[in-house]
Amino acid sequence: MNKVLIIGAGGVGSVVAHKCAMLPEVFGEITLASRTVSKCEAIAASIKERTGREIATFQVDADNSSETAELIRKVGATLLINVALPYQDLTLMDACLEAGIDYLDTANYEPKDVAKFEYSWQWEYQERFEKAGLSALLGSGFDPGVTNVFTAWALKHHFDEIHTLDIIDVNGGDHGHAFATNFNPEINIREVTAECRHWENGEFVETAPMSKHQGFTCPEGVGSYEIYRMYHEELESLTKHIPTIKRAQFWMSFSPNYLKHLEVLQNVGMTRIDEVEYQGQKIIPLQFLKAVLPNPGDLGVTTKGRTCIGNVITGIKDGKEKAIYIYNICDHEKCFEEVGSQAISYTTGVPAMIGAKQMLSGEWKKPGVWNMEQHDPDAFMADLNVHGLPWTCIELTPEQAATFTVA
Ligand code: NDP
């Protein structure tokens, strides 16, 4: 029987735990551990009510690898699903090496004191995982995650060579608050205020945050939105592993209201990640801001509308130019009905469960540290259709694809 240990009881952790519990034949025994055990217990109660299954809960400090390794041995897990924060990636990879189990996460490691997004730290674990005969799967959320698998699947089934990649993440949902972030505010704000980088002719080109934007009309009536070019971590692994890519960009939709609030917060210093002295205590403004913003895990009750995330890909097939768009549309209210969470947590948690399923089935179990596009995409793509994130692939005309050739 497979035993998994999920670390992190936030918005994403809740979805992963619920979705794993719905597949008892794959996830035989589930343990959920986090910093605040009461959050694990609340999730366990919801799972019991929705599925009738019992899951175990524990308190753990994921910054402490030996404490986590001890918990791994205690519960007898063979796979750790890390849905805590990116800061914990390395200590949790260390814990897995110490206890001799496989590892999965949804976001690349970030140091706490500098907003730096790159895989180098985690790729350095390649040899250690390989020698130990253990597998680590990096970035098994939606973006990164499904967007990487979409690209690998497109290369396998639609192209001889991929030349351009535009990943477009639209959240057409409305949570009813003046300002809130859809996932952990600290991580979200660090990401969107960072310098933009996109891939062009063999190198990353840096531009000012949010300086490039354009309109985008989603399919199936999701609506038209302004999308902003920004850096996102899958650009690094995809351009490394698919070297024919000449240009790769990531775009995310933001409402004028979100941008207005973000600008003010930045201007008054509330998004700073260095320490400031306040009444004899050192505080980090962005961490304080997180404490006063709505908890993303609680947004499900009020959020309405749909997300639309997908890839526009161009390239060559049999000597001819070709363009496709692969996307998923996800309804916030339907997610809430199924697992009690909004679609951002859902679209991250479901792929984490599916990635874990591929590892446990042996399909994606290969010693070493891997990004999603390095594995065969077919079984994962089939599972998306079965487990709540159905996708559609349409062919585009050159004119439609050219919308993304803006310099
Ligand atoms: P939340 O902040 O809602 O949840 C994080 C959880 O981790 C909380 O329960 C928190 O505990 C726990 N945690 C934090 N530090 C520790 C620690 N030292 N020891 C134990 N537990 C700890 O975040 P989300 O659920 O929104 O996001 C989870 C992850 O998913 C993040 O890494 C995020 O970047 C990633 N993500 C990935 C996406 C993708 O598509 N790839 C999209 C969205 C998110 P406490 O409750 O005590 O604070």
Side-chain angles (χ1 to χ4, degrees), residues 8-13 34-36 39 60-63 83-86 88 106-107 141-144 183-184 187 290 348:
V12 179
S34 191
R35 182 167 53 193
T36 313
K39 293 194 186 171
V60 76
D61 177 7
D63 287 321
V83 276
L85 295 178
Q88 278 85 47
T106 65
F142 205 106
D143 42 344
F183 67 99
N184 183 289
I187 306 299
K290 174 183 184 277
T348 310

Tab-separated table of all heavy atoms in Angstrom, residues 8-13 34-36 39 60-63 83-86 88 106-107 141-144 183-184 187 290 348, ligand 1:
chain	number	residue	atom	x	y	z
A	8	GLY	N	2.257	20.957	4.334
A	8	GLY	CA	1.650	22.247	3.998
A	8	GLY	C	0.133	22.129	4.002
A	8	GLY	O	-0.436	21.331	3.264
A	9	ALA	N	-0.504	22.936	4.855
A	9	ALA	CA	-1.962	22.853	4.990
A	9	ALA	C	-2.609	24.167	4.587
A	9	ALA	O	-3.531	24.665	5.232
A	9	ALA	CB	-2.334	22.474	6.419
A	10	GLY	N	-2.109	24.766	3.485
A	10	GLY	CA	-2.709	25.989	2.958
A	10	GLY	C	-3.744	25.640	1.902
A	10	GLY	O	-4.268	24.515	1.859
A	11	GLY	N	-4.011	26.627	1.018
A	11	GLY	CA	-5.003	26.419	-0.036
A	11	GLY	C	-4.669	25.216	-0.905
A	11	GLY	O	-5.531	24.377	-1.198
A	12	VAL	N	-3.412	25.104	-1.321
A	12	VAL	CA	-3.013	24.010	-2.212
A	12	VAL	C	-2.990	22.681	-1.457
A	12	VAL	O	-3.499	21.660	-1.948
A	12	VAL	CB	-1.633	24.314	-2.859
A	12	VAL	CG1	-1.208	23.170	-3.772
A	12	VAL	CG2	-1.689	25.621	-3.639
A	13	GLY	N	-2.428	22.684	-0.248
A	13	GLY	CA	-2.359	21.445	0.555
A	13	GLY	C	-3.728	20.832	0.758
A	13	GLY	O	-3.899	19.599	0.715
A	34	SER	N	1.888	20.037	8.932
A	34	SER	CA	2.204	21.432	8.647
A	34	SER	C	2.623	22.136	9.926
A	34	SER	O	2.641	21.526	11.000
A	34	SER	CB	0.985	22.109	8.008
A	34	SER	OG	1.336	23.375	7.489
A	35	ARG	N	2.942	23.432	9.801
A	35	ARG	CA	3.378	24.201	10.976
A	35	ARG	C	2.248	24.341	11.985
A	35	ARG	O	2.434	24.202	13.185
A	35	ARG	CB	3.836	25.578	10.476
A	35	ARG	CG	4.353	26.491	11.517
A	35	ARG	CD	5.060	27.654	10.895
A	35	ARG	NE	4.235	28.346	9.885
A	35	ARG	CZ	4.721	29.239	9.038
A	35	ARG	NH1	5.997	29.556	9.068
A	35	ARG	NH2	3.929	29.834	8.164
A	36	THR	N	1.027	24.601	11.491
A	36	THR	CA	-0.111	24.796	12.399
A	36	THR	C	-1.021	23.581	12.284
A	36	THR	O	-1.744	23.423	11.286
A	36	THR	CB	-0.889	26.080	11.993
A	36	THR	OG1	0.052	27.131	11.788
A	36	THR	CG2	-1.896	26.497	13.039
A	39	LYS	N	-4.844	23.563	11.306
A	39	LYS	CA	-5.251	23.670	9.888
A	39	LYS	C	-5.312	22.285	9.250
A	39	LYS	O	-6.178	22.001	8.425
A	39	LYS	CB	-4.270	24.561	9.119
A	39	LYS	CG	-4.320	26.018	9.553
A	39	LYS	CD	-3.597	26.926	8.563
A	39	LYS	CE	-3.522	28.346	9.087
A	39	LYS	NZ	-2.663	29.205	8.298
A	60	VAL	N	4.686	19.839	12.110
A	60	VAL	CA	6.093	19.673	11.726
A	60	VAL	C	6.676	21.024	11.351
A	60	VAL	O	5.961	21.902	10.859
A	60	VAL	CB	6.229	18.672	10.547
A	60	VAL	CG1	5.822	19.284	9.201
A	60	VAL	CG2	7.649	18.125	10.441
A	61	ASP	N	7.980	21.197	11.613
A	61	ASP	CA	8.671	22.379	11.123
A	61	ASP	C	9.470	21.950	9.895
A	61	ASP	O	10.510	21.301	10.010
A	61	ASP	CB	9.606	22.947	12.203
A	61	ASP	CG	10.394	24.143	11.686
A	61	ASP	OD1	10.112	24.600	10.546
A	61	ASP	OD2	11.296	24.610	12.406
A	62	ALA	N	8.981	22.327	8.720
A	62	ALA	CA	9.604	21.882	7.466
A	62	ALA	C	10.939	22.561	7.196
A	62	ALA	O	11.662	22.174	6.285
A	62	ALA	CB	8.642	22.114	6.300
A	63	ASP	N	11.284	23.587	8.009
A	63	ASP	CA	12.616	24.184	7.878
A	63	ASP	C	13.664	23.289	8.528
A	63	ASP	O	14.858	23.513	8.387
A	63	ASP	CB	12.647	25.569	8.554
A	63	ASP	CG	11.878	26.601	7.742
A	63	ASP	OD1	11.986	26.553	6.499
A	63	ASP	OD2	11.166	27.421	8.348
A	83	VAL	N	3.851	20.943	-0.438
A	83	VAL	CA	3.025	22.095	-0.803
A	83	VAL	C	3.043	23.116	0.342
A	83	VAL	O	2.063	23.781	0.625
A	83	VAL	CB	1.582	21.696	-1.220
A	83	VAL	CG1	1.556	21.296	-2.685
A	83	VAL	CG2	1.010	20.583	-0.358
A	84	ALA	N	4.227	23.192	1.005
A	84	ALA	CA	4.481	24.285	1.961
A	84	ALA	C	4.926	25.475	1.100
A	84	ALA	O	4.324	25.736	0.059
A	84	ALA	CB	5.525	23.853	2.972
A	85	LEU	N	5.974	26.167	1.463
A	85	LEU	CA	6.389	27.324	0.656
A	85	LEU	C	7.708	27.024	-0.059
A	85	LEU	O	8.438	26.122	0.352
A	85	LEU	CB	6.505	28.550	1.572
A	85	LEU	CG	5.166	28.983	2.178
A	85	LEU	CD1	5.353	30.175	3.111
A	85	LEU	CD2	4.143	29.311	1.097
A	86	PRO	N	8.029	27.783	-1.114
A	86	PRO	CA	9.282	27.526	-1.841
A	86	PRO	C	10.518	27.562	-0.936
A	86	PRO	O	11.521	26.936	-1.227
A	86	PRO	CB	9.342	28.657	-2.865
A	86	PRO	CG	7.919	29.074	-3.045
A	86	PRO	CD	7.252	28.871	-1.735
A	88	GLN	N	11.004	26.135	1.740
A	88	GLN	CA	11.251	24.836	2.379
A	88	GLN	C	11.750	23.759	1.403
A	88	GLN	O	12.027	22.636	1.812
A	88	GLN	CB	9.969	24.318	3.049
A	88	GLN	CG	9.693	24.899	4.425
A	88	GLN	CD	8.978	26.224	4.347
A	88	GLN	OE1	8.016	26.378	3.617
A	88	GLN	NE2	9.465	27.179	5.098
A	106	THR	N	5.764	22.008	-6.090
A	106	THR	CA	5.020	22.759	-7.112
A	106	THR	C	5.653	24.117	-7.423
A	106	THR	O	5.112	24.870	-8.237
A	106	THR	CB	3.565	23.026	-6.667
A	106	THR	OG1	3.585	23.881	-5.516
A	106	THR	CG2	2.817	21.748	-6.327
A	107	ALA	N	6.757	24.448	-6.757
A	107	ALA	CA	7.374	25.767	-6.985
A	107	ALA	C	8.860	25.677	-6.694
A	107	ALA	O	9.252	24.987	-5.750
A	107	ALA	CB	6.736	26.803	-6.065
A	141	GLY	N	2.653	21.705	-10.428
A	141	GLY	CA	1.407	22.455	-10.210
A	141	GLY	C	0.776	22.700	-11.575
A	141	GLY	O	0.880	21.858	-12.460
A	142	PHE	N	0.147	23.903	-11.768
A	142	PHE	CA	-0.350	24.191	-13.121
A	142	PHE	C	0.701	24.944	-13.926
A	142	PHE	O	1.107	24.501	-15.001
A	142	PHE	CB	-1.680	24.956	-13.113
A	142	PHE	CG	-2.443	24.707	-14.391
A	142	PHE	CD1	-3.546	23.880	-14.399
A	142	PHE	CD2	-2.028	25.258	-15.592
A	142	PHE	CE1	-4.226	23.588	-15.589
A	142	PHE	CE2	-2.694	24.978	-16.787
A	142	PHE	CZ	-3.790	24.146	-16.784
A	143	ASP	N	1.173	26.081	-13.372
A	143	ASP	CA	2.246	26.793	-14.063
A	143	ASP	C	3.265	27.249	-13.035
A	143	ASP	O	3.022	28.254	-12.386
A	143	ASP	CB	1.706	27.950	-14.913
A	143	ASP	CG	0.613	28.774	-14.227
A	143	ASP	OD1	0.040	28.303	-13.227
A	143	ASP	OD2	0.338	29.890	-14.690
A	144	PRO	N	4.366	26.538	-12.843
A	144	PRO	CA	4.830	25.404	-13.647
A	144	PRO	C	4.038	24.131	-13.356
A	144	PRO	O	3.403	24.005	-12.316
A	144	PRO	CB	6.280	25.216	-13.193
A	144	PRO	CG	6.280	25.652	-11.766
A	144	PRO	CD	5.317	26.796	-11.717
A	183	PHE	N	-2.972	33.084	-4.316
A	183	PHE	CA	-2.226	32.123	-3.509
A	183	PHE	C	-1.349	32.907	-2.561
A	183	PHE	O	-1.454	34.134	-2.504
A	183	PHE	CB	-1.482	31.096	-4.388
A	183	PHE	CG	-0.369	31.638	-5.225
A	183	PHE	CD1	0.949	31.523	-4.813
A	183	PHE	CD2	-0.632	32.231	-6.444
A	183	PHE	CE1	1.993	32.000	-5.590
A	183	PHE	CE2	0.410	32.720	-7.224
A	183	PHE	CZ	1.722	32.610	-6.795
A	184	ASN	N	-0.542	32.212	-1.805
A	184	ASN	CA	0.245	32.864	-0.753
A	184	ASN	C	0.689	34.277	-1.157
A	184	ASN	O	1.473	34.456	-2.090
A	184	ASN	CB	1.455	31.981	-0.446
A	184	ASN	CG	2.278	32.536	0.684
A	184	ASN	OD1	2.951	33.540	0.531
A	184	ASN	ND2	2.166	31.919	1.830
A	187	ILE	N	4.542	35.085	-1.626
A	187	ILE	CA	5.156	34.482	-2.818
A	187	ILE	C	4.628	35.182	-4.073
A	187	ILE	O	5.370	35.533	-4.981
A	187	ILE	CB	4.843	32.958	-2.889
A	187	ILE	CG1	5.260	32.246	-1.591
A	187	ILE	CG2	5.489	32.314	-4.117
A	187	ILE	CD1	6.711	32.306	-1.242
A	290	LYS	N	1.084	40.175	4.467
A	290	LYS	CA	0.401	38.870	4.346
A	290	LYS	C	-0.566	38.656	5.527
A	290	LYS	O	-1.673	38.151	5.360
A	290	LYS	CB	1.439	37.744	4.311
A	290	LYS	CG	0.822	36.347	4.330
A	290	LYS	CD	1.898	35.251	4.359
A	290	LYS	CE	1.319	33.871	4.277
A	290	LYS	NZ	0.843	33.312	5.530
A	348	THR	N	-3.649	24.000	-8.972
A	348	THR	CA	-2.301	23.626	-8.513
A	348	THR	C	-2.327	22.257	-7.832
A	348	THR	O	-1.446	21.418	-8.051
A	348	THR	CB	-1.760	24.670	-7.509
A	348	THR	OG1	-1.922	25.966	-8.061
A	348	THR	CG2	-0.302	24.424	-7.194
B	1	NDP	P1	-0.303	28.895	1.812
B	1	NDP	O1	0.479	30.012	2.400
B	1	NDP	O2	-1.791	28.944	1.780
B	1	NDP	O3	0.106	27.525	2.538
B	1	NDP	C1	1.430	27.190	2.862
B	1	NDP	C2	1.362	26.179	3.989
B	1	NDP	O4	2.709	25.798	4.321
B	1	NDP	C3	0.731	26.730	5.271
B	1	NDP	O5	-0.102	25.756	5.820
B	1	NDP	C4	1.949	26.996	6.155
B	1	NDP	O6	1.728	26.873	7.543
B	1	NDP	C5	2.860	25.869	5.731
B	1	NDP	N1	4.240	26.178	6.104
B	1	NDP	C6	4.932	27.309	5.835
B	1	NDP	N2	6.153	27.242	6.410
B	1	NDP	C7	6.213	26.033	7.038
B	1	NDP	C8	7.204	25.389	7.810
B	1	NDP	N3	8.385	25.940	8.034
B	1	NDP	N4	6.923	24.163	8.327
B	1	NDP	C9	5.719	23.578	8.091
B	1	NDP	N5	4.743	24.141	7.358
B	1	NDP	C10	4.990	25.360	6.856
B	1	NDP	O7	0.279	28.661	0.329
B	1	NDP	P2	-0.488	28.009	-0.917
B	1	NDP	O8	-1.210	26.794	-0.487
B	1	NDP	O9	-1.183	29.089	-1.640
B	1	NDP	O10	0.772	27.560	-1.818
B	1	NDP	C11	1.504	26.379	-1.532
B	1	NDP	C12	2.636	26.220	-2.549
B	1	NDP	O11	2.088	26.086	-3.853
B	1	NDP	C13	3.605	27.410	-2.601
B	1	NDP	O12	4.921	26.899	-2.721
B	1	NDP	C14	3.216	28.119	-3.885
B	1	NDP	O13	4.313	28.829	-4.452
B	1	NDP	C15	2.820	26.933	-4.742
B	1	NDP	N6	1.947	27.296	-5.873
B	1	NDP	C16	2.244	26.766	-7.105
B	1	NDP	C17	1.461	27.063	-8.202
B	1	NDP	C18	1.711	26.389	-9.506
B	1	NDP	O14	0.840	26.466	-10.392
B	1	NDP	N7	2.817	25.720	-9.715
B	1	NDP	C19	0.323	28.008	-8.098
B	1	NDP	C20	0.018	28.423	-6.744
B	1	NDP	C21	0.842	28.095	-5.688
B	1	NDP	P3	0.857	27.974	8.374
B	1	NDP	O15	-0.545	27.557	8.087
B	1	NDP	O16	1.268	27.781	9.770
B	1	NDP	O17	1.215	29.307	7.798
